[in-house]
Every structure is written in structure tokens, then in C-alpha cells.
Amino acid sequence: MREAYPGAVLSTLRGPPYHDDQAAQVLRLKSAIAASQGVLFVTAEYNRSMPGVLKNAIDHASRPYGHSAWTGKPAGVIGVSAGVIGTALAQQHLRNVLASLDMPTLGQPEVFLQAKEDLFDADGNLGLASRRLLQDWMDRYVDWVTRHVR
Amino acid sequence: MREAYPGAVLSTLRGPPYHDDQAAQVLRLKSAIAASQGVLFVTAEYNRSMPGVLKNAIDHASRPYGHSAWTGKPAGVIGVSAGVIGTALAQQHLRNVLASLDMPTLGQPEVFLQAKEDLFDADGNLGLASRRLLQDWMDRYVDWVTRHVR
């Protein structure tokens, strides 16, 4: 295993509805994105698309016009769900949006994780197969960020 | 012009983030959907997809599992935006979601309105071309709802 990479987890995306003024939590989100070298999207899938909460956070940080926090930030997309398609359709919608935001996004390898019983072992660690898959993905993602970071 | 059709406007979609418990406003939304014969989605387009706020409302009303308010409700999709594609890409994402929710959705005619100066006349009424387009669309939508209403 390679060493851990430093990163910040922006898992709390409780932004207000978009039509509100940009609240303090939105400005914090935009600051965190601005300070990052890359953005790793770990998505769920709701109704064959990305969660509304994720899309709302993306919309907030993309505005006001001309002041998007996302522009040029290298991105990666992975996801996990209970179903066999493992967020494949949510990821496709998300990729459409990231392209419009001008975020260089890693193409391959794709990771569509299914939350099955063997995803984690008895100690709560990732099972070996998933661990290898994700380590390979992470190595490729780090290379991608390194290439595109501004 | 045909007479106006009765309808309720659910324009205020200020739902809480999805991971909250279902709040009173979500239950009101679900009740309004349950009482309706059809659902007309008028969407904006943010970043080449539907607004996160709309998706969040859809997600809320689709849960808990097995108790979606959307199932079987006939639907129509239109939209308006400042750009020349007039929400075409947002509508495609929305259609993917409506299909997964088992909502019979009117296919044609499609309406991709651009919010240009001549969309409304000097008195604030829809210009003649848009009025004809939307009247034709509405007649088709009403026929569609009539055919699929349960």
C-alpha cells in the first residue's frame, strides 16, 4: 500500500436550497474546494441519478456566474450502492455535470462498488478484492491530479 | 384557447437535505402528489442537469422504499432557460429519473423554451408563437394524463 494522501472530507453537504443567498456554509464549501488540489466525488445513487443533495452542493459552489469554485479542478468519481449497478447511472449524470464545469475527470478505471456482505471483512476493513481495486484507482487518481493541478 | 385546467402549483421545493427524517413539508408534498391526477415538471437547467433542489424533492417523495408518491402518476416535462438549448439536457436527466420512478411520461412534443426578449409581449403575456406551442403541448399533456390517470 502507498502511504495515505492528505485530504479533507466534505461529507456534510447540508446546503440551503439554491435560490437562497450564498450562506456561510456555502462559502466554506467554496473555500475548501479552492484550497484543494483535486476533488474526489464519492456518490450514492437515488432514482438512477446522483442525490439531489450532492447536485445542490455542486450548483451552489458553481455560482455566482464567473466565480465557480470547480473550474479546472481535477476530479475523480467513484460510488457505492446496494444494487448491482453500483451507482453506474448516477456517475454518468455526474460526469455530464463535471464536464460542463470544466473539471478534468479521470476516465478509467471506473469503480462501481456494490455494498455486499463481503465488501468489508469481520474487522470492518475493506475486503482484499475491493482494497486492490481501490488502491489501483487511488494511484491512478493521484497521478491524474498531479498532472492537472494548477 | 381551451379553458384553464385546474391544478396546484408546487413551486416551493425547499425540502430539507435527504438524510433528514421526513419533515412535515415533505409529507405535504407527498400528499399533494397523491391527490393529483398528473405531474407537470417545469425545470430549469443548472450545469447541464436538473437543479439539485428539484432532484432533492423528487428523492424525498420517492421514499421510504415501497411508498413512493410518484409511482404511476402520468408526467410531462417542459423547461425554460436563458441558453439556446432551453433545458434540453436537464430534461434528459429528468426523464431518466422519471422512468425509474415508473411515471408514464409524455414523449412528444418536446418543449425547450429559451427566455428571449420576445418570449413575453409588452403586456407580460406569452408571445403568440410560444403560446401556440404551449397550448398544443398542454392539449397533448391533458390527453396523456386522461389516458393514464388511475
Side-chain angles (χ1 to χ4, degrees):
Chain A
M1 297 282 284
R2 289 170 63 161
E3 289 179 48
Y5 304 103
V9 176
L10 304 174
S11 61
T12 305
L13 300 176
R14 290 168 170 266
Y18 175 69
H19 43 73
D20 281 344
D21 292 333
Q22 295 213 309
Q25 68 215 89
V26 174
L27 298 178
R28 280 198 301 274
L29 174 63
K30 293 183 72 171
S31 293
I33 297 163
S36 72
Q37 296 181 299
V39 184
L40 195 171
F41 291 90
V42 185
T43 189
E45 181 170 296
Y46 294 170
N47 303 313
R48 308 288 183 249
S49 186
M50 74 192 91
V53 171
L54 173 58
K55 179 60 164 53
N56 191 42
I58 292 173
D59 291 341
H60 268 297
S62 73
R63 296 295 189 278
Y65 185 80
H67 297 275
S68 169
W70 305 112
T71 309
K73 294 286 180 187
V77 176
I78 63 177
V80 59
S81 70
V84 293
I85 62 174
T87 72
L89 298 177
Q91 290 189 35
Q92 289 300 316
H93 280 192
L94 180 54
R95 284 179 182 277
N96 292 159
V97 170
L98 301 186
S100 83
L101 294 169
D102 199 20
M103 302 181 76
T105 304
L106 178 65
Q108 294 287 350
E110 297 169 296
V111 172
F112 308 121
L113 286 176
Q114 184 179 10
K116 292 186 297 188
E117 284 189 11
D118 61 351
L119 181 61
F120 297 98
D121 65 21
D123 298 325
N125 298 310
L126 271 175
L128 191 59
S130 298
R131 189 168 171 168
R132 283 182 177 148
L133 181 73
L134 285 172
Q135 185 64 56
D136 178 51
W137 188 90
M138 187 58 76
D139 293 342
R140 289 284 298 273
Y141 170 70
V142 170
D143 288 343
W144 181 256
V145 171
T146 304
R147 180 182 300 267
H148 289 279
V149 69
R150 295 180 178 181
Chain B
M1 297 282 284
R2 289 170 62 161
E3 288 180 46
Y5 304 102
V9 176
L10 305 173
S11 60
T12 306
L13 301 175
R14 289 168 170 267
Y18 175 70
H19 43 74
D20 280 346
D21 292 332
Q22 294 213 308
Q25 68 215 90
V26 173
L27 298 178
R28 279 198 301 274
L29 173 64
K30 293 184 73 172
S31 294
I33 298 163
S36 72
Q37 296 181 299
V39 184
L40 195 171
F41 291 90
V42 185
T43 189
E45 181 170 296
Y46 295 171
N47 302 313
R48 308 288 182 248
S49 186
M50 74 192 91
V53 172
L54 172 59
K55 180 60 166 53
N56 191 42
I58 292 173
D59 291 341
H60 268 297
S62 73
R63 294 295 189 279
Y65 186 79
H67 297 275
S68 169
W70 306 111
T71 308
K73 294 286 180 187
V77 176
I78 63 178
V80 58
S81 70
V84 293
I85 61 174
T87 73
L89 298 177
Q91 290 189 35
Q92 290 299 318
H93 280 193
L94 180 54
R95 284 178 182 277
N96 292 159
V97 171
L98 301 186
S100 83
L101 294 169
D102 199 20
M103 302 181 77
T105 303
L106 179 66
Q108 294 287 350
E110 297 169 297
V111 172
F112 308 121
L113 286 175
Q114 185 179 11
K116 293 186 297 189
E117 284 189 11
D118 61 352
L119 182 61
F120 296 98
D121 65 21
D123 297 325
N125 298 312
L126 270 175
L128 190 60
S130 298
R131 190 167 171 169
R132 284 183 177 145
L133 181 73
L134 285 173
Q135 184 63 57
D136 178 52
W137 188 90
M138 186 58 77
D139 292 343
R140 290 284 299 271
Y141 171 69
V142 170
D143 289 342
W144 181 257
V145 171
T146 303
R147 181 182 300 268
H148 289 279
V149 69
R150 294 181 179 180

